[in-house]
């Protein structure tokens, strides 16, 4: 019986592969597959209560860069729908890349029935010179989202300033693969990992050269991981572990032996 089941599964997989290779999938179909795959990795959590503000203007220029190390948010795959997290959610950088669905509640400025999905790309630091309920919105232990203005305007009139919100973790759906941007120097390798789907966050990273075993990297800041090792002239593989799920994936030969500092290389999603 078990052999029959396995044979059936193999046949189904073959048929699916044949369909994929036989004709190009529609964008709608690809998005649906990506969403389903992400949901398998990280199930959406329940709704919780917090507050939200915004920073910057409609161009979201002020959101570029940030404490997660994503740099240009267009190039790293995150765009305008982003938010800075209070330190309670930022969690020393482990919250970077996580996705949240946010909706406005209990304010006359709300666009009721509307919600927006944002990616955590920055830290909203505490402001100890102000009370937590009057300007120190990101002071611990408050849970707060300082959103990009374009994201805030999806759920409320911008003149509201600060609004009560409901939020929940949701799977991150990304276009394309994970990106590994290499930096550092001859004796020190730094990699920033962006455009991560599923849970979106990263707990640990290891690197392996074509002439080495696996070497654990340490978090430098945000999504930047480092190792003090000469790896030039070797192809590089990476082992990435998600923070929320603990899922580990191995990405072989992400960068070729002639990789260059400052270059970005892509691999399959988590």
């Amino acid at each position: 019986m078990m052999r029959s089941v396995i044979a059936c599964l193999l046949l189904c997989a073959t048929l699916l592969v044949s369909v994929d290779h036989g004709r190009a999938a529609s964008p709608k179909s690809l998005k649906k597959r990506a969403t389903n795959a992400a949901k398998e990795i990280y199930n959406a959590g329940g709704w919780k209560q917090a507050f939200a503000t915004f920073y910057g203007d409609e161009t979201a220029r002020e959101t570029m860069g940030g404490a997660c190390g994503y740099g240009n948010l267009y190039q790293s795959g995150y765009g305008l729908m982003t938010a800075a997290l209070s330190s309670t959610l930022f969690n020393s950088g482990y919250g970077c890349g996580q996705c949240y669905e946010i909706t406005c509640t209990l304010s006359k400025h709300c666009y009721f029935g509307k919600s927006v999905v944002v990616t955590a790309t920055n830290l909203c630091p505490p402001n100890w010179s102000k009370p937590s309920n009057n300007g120190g919105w990101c002071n611990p232990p408050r849970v707060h989202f300082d959103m990009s203005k374009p994201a805030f305007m999806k759920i409320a009139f911008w003149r509201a300033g600060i609004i009560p919100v409901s939020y929940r973790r949701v799977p991150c759906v990304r276009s394309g693969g994970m990106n590994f941007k290499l930096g550092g120097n001859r004796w020190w390798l730094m990699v920033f990992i962006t455009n991560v789907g599923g849970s979106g966050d990263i707990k640990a990273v290891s690197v392996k050269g074509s002439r080495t075993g696996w070497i654990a990297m340490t978090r430098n800041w945000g999504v930047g991981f480092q190792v003090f090792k000469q790896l030039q002239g070797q192809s590089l593989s990476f082992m990435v572990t998600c923070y929320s799920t603990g899922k580990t994936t191995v990405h072989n030969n992400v960068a070729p032996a002639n990789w260059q500092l400052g270059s970005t290389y892509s691999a399959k999603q988590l």
Side-chain angles (χ1 to χ4, degrees):
M1 178 67 178
M2 181 60 69
R3 291 182 180 177
S4 299
V5 171
I6 294 174
C8 181
L9 289 173
L10 289 173
L11 177 59
C12 291
T14 303
L15 290 172
L16 286 172
V17 170
S18 298
V19 170
D20 283 344
H21 286 281
R23 59 191 176 96
S26 67
K28 184 176 181 180
S29 173
L30 290 174
K31 183 176 182 180
K32 183 177 180 181
R33 291 183 199 176
T35 301
N36 290 338
K39 285 181 178 178
E40 291 178 7
I41 296 171
Y42 184 84
N43 293 322
W47 291 97
K48 300 177 182 179
Q49 307 307 307
F51 287 86
T53 49
F54 69 86
Y55 68 114
D57 59 19
E58 288 86 344
T59 67
R61 286 175 296 184
E62 291 82 354
T63 66
M64 300 296 154
C68 288
Y70 290 129
N72 186 307
L73 297 178
Y74 290 107
Q75 295 176 0
S76 54
Y78 301 109
L80 299 178
M81 299 299 111
T82 64
L85 304 182
S86 61
S87 55
T88 302
L89 289 176
F90 188 75
N91 193 18
S92 300
Y94 289 110
C96 289
Q98 293 177 350
C99 294
Y100 294 88
E101 183 179 8
I102 302 175
T103 183
C104 180
T105 63
L106 303 176
S107 170
K108 65 180 181 180
H109 299 292
C110 291
Y111 298 150
F112 293 108
K114 301 291 185 180
S115 68
V116 64
V117 174
V118 298
T119 301
T121 59
N122 203 353
L123 167 68
C124 180
N127 184 352
W128 297 115
S129 66
K130 295 185 177 181
S132 296
N133 62 351
N134 187 21
W137 308 125
C138 291
N139 294 349
R142 289 181 65 96
V143 176
H144 191 88
F145 297 88
D146 199 16
M147 305 168 67
S148 69
K149 190 173 182 180
F152 187 93
M153 292 170 64
K154 294 283 186 181
I155 59 172
F157 182 48
W158 66 272
R159 288 192 182 277
I162 181 169
I163 54 173
V165 297
S166 292
Y167 75 96
R168 63 177 177 176
R169 282 283 304 277
V170 294
C172 299
V173 179
R174 304 294 179 210
S175 176
M178 293 171 55
N179 294 325
F180 296 76
K181 183 175 182 179
L182 306 183
N185 57 39
R186 182 178 177 182
W187 301 276
W188 166 58
L189 178 67
M190 181 88 159
V191 59
F192 287 90
I193 304 176
T194 64
N195 202 46
V196 180
S199 66
D201 50 23
I202 299 173
K203 178 182 179 181
V205 179
S206 294
V207 62
K208 183 170 74 72
S210 50
R211 298 192 298 274
T212 74
W214 287 106
I215 307 168
M217 306 183 81
T218 58
R219 187 186 296 270
N220 184 295
W221 62 284
V223 294
F225 291 81
Q226 64 183 0
V227 65
F228 292 91
K229 184 77 173 178
Q230 289 182 299
L231 294 170
Q232 284 80 7
Q234 303 181 54
S235 60
L236 302 180
S237 300
F238 293 93
M239 186 187 305
V240 181
T241 301
C242 291
Y243 178 76
S244 296
T245 64
K247 179 181 176 66
T248 297
T249 55
V250 175
H251 308 272
N252 291 313
N253 302 315
V254 173
N258 63 344
W259 57 267
Q260 299 292 319
L261 294 175
S263 296
T264 300
Y265 303 91
S266 295
K268 67 180 181 180
Q269 282 290 349
L270 291 176

